[in-house]
Amino acid sequence: GRAEYYLDGFLFETVTANPFGLSKSVGFLNSGVHGLTVRVCDTIDNCSEQKIEFNLSQNVEPEKTKIKISLLEPTANANFIKYDFPLSLKAAFSPAQAVAGVTFFWRDGSGQAKTIGQGQIKEKIALGSMTEILNPGSYKLYAQAHGWQGQTNASEEINIVIKNMPLTATTAPT
């Protein structure tokens, strides 16, 4: 089983060992009302969750730190076909303690941004997966980091190309 702890909607910690408790500082949060959600799941993913709000009062407000983020995977100008999906997504960010979550996006030729999903945070890395198979064409991908004090920053966009399937031979070579 596991217990997932979410602060203000962002996965804060996952605990996989008894007694599934959490003891961590929230000194990086601003004073004010915050949400805590605890989602508990058994080994076959039967889950239940409970939400509470708490009013945090800090003597000193935390400093609003500038976040840096870059997209590591896929690499810029990579080519894919439909059988390459799902695509692995990977972004690096810093400083780790300032980042609440990372969201991955794609943009088509019209420039409209579409959400891929929230990344799973592992220290200074966010991991994600793009399961939606895109039609052949050129696309842009980027990641956006969300800080605990409301700050956001986006990575540079990278270009990827989805190609048609390669043609298969219709006759045997001689």
Side-chain angles (χ1 to χ4, degrees):
R2 70 184 183 278
E4 300 169 347
Y5 294 86
Y6 295 83
L7 271 175
D8 297 334
F10 293 102
L11 182 61
F12 179 59
E13 185 73 39
T14 300
V15 180
T16 58
N18 260 335
F20 300 103
L22 179 68
S23 177
K24 285 196 135 189
S25 170
V26 291
F28 52 83
L29 292 174
N30 288 328
S31 293
V33 177
H34 296 277
L36 173 66
T37 302
V38 180
R39 184 171 188 248
V40 181
C41 303
D42 64 15
T43 55
I44 57 171
D45 261 1
N46 292 311
C47 300
S48 179
E49 67 180 45
Q50 183 71 44
K51 299 177 184 182
I52 64 165
E53 287 190 340
F54 61 95
N55 193 356
L56 181 64
S57 179
Q58 301 265 42
N59 289 332
V60 178
E61 288 296 319
E63 183 179 326
K64 195 178 250 188
T65 308
K66 181 164 175 53
I67 298 170
K68 296 178 182 175
I69 184 165
S70 60
L71 196 57
L72 303 176
E73 290 179 15
T75 57
N77 302 311
N79 294 311
F80 300 100
I81 58 173
K82 71 179 183 177
Y83 292 117
D84 292 323
F85 286 83
L87 299 181
S88 293
L89 307 172
K90 188 176 189 180
F93 56 85
S94 68
Q97 69 277 10
V99 176
V102 172
T103 306
F104 293 99
F105 296 90
W106 65 274
R107 203 183 292 275
D108 60 17
S110 71
Q112 182 180 1
K114 297 182 182 172
T115 303
I116 297 169
Q118 198 176 85
Q120 182 179 9
I121 303 293
K122 299 269 189 195
E123 297 181 16
K124 294 183 176 186
I125 299 290
L127 303 172
S129 181
M130 182 174 193
T131 57
E132 180 180 351
I133 299 172
L134 300 175
N135 290 323
S138 294
Y139 298 89
K140 295 184 182 295
L141 299 178
Y142 66 98
Q144 185 177 57
H146 311 275
W148 291 110
Q149 283 80 44
Q151 71 274 44
T152 61
N153 196 13
S155 69
E156 288 188 23
E157 294 183 353
I158 63 152
N159 294 309
I160 64 165
V161 176
I162 310 302
K163 295 190 170 202
N164 285 314
M165 293 291 298
L167 297 175
T168 56
T170 55
T171 60
T174 54

